[in-house]
Amino acid sequence: MYRWIWRHLPGPLAAKLVLATVLVLGLVALLMFVVFPWAEPRLPFDQVSVN
């Protein structure tokens, strides 16, 4: 899959590195600001009890 993405990025090596970095940072931002806040109330991590 990564090879497929790398082959379809346009430009020489430097441009591909910049575009790949932008894609990774965009994915991290999407996870941090959309996916994780949506999933956090649905996870049982705040319901901890010790007997």
Side-chain angles (χ1 to χ4, degrees), residues 31-46:
L31 288 172
M32 293 301 252
F33 295 116
V34 177
V35 176
F36 293 155
W38 171 82
E40 192 252 340
R42 292 163 176 78
L43 298 174
F45 296 133
D46 61 345

Side-chain angles (χ1 to χ4, degrees), residues 6-43:
W6 187 257
R7 280 191 316 226
H8 286 84
L9 290 175
L13 179 64
K16 286 184 180 192
L17 287 174
V18 169
L19 286 172
T21 303
V22 168
L23 285 173
V24 167
L25 291 176
L27 179 64
V28 168
L30 178 72
L31 288 172
M32 293 301 252
F33 295 116
V34 177
V35 176
F36 293 155
W38 171 82
E40 192 252 340
R42 292 163 176 78
L43 298 174

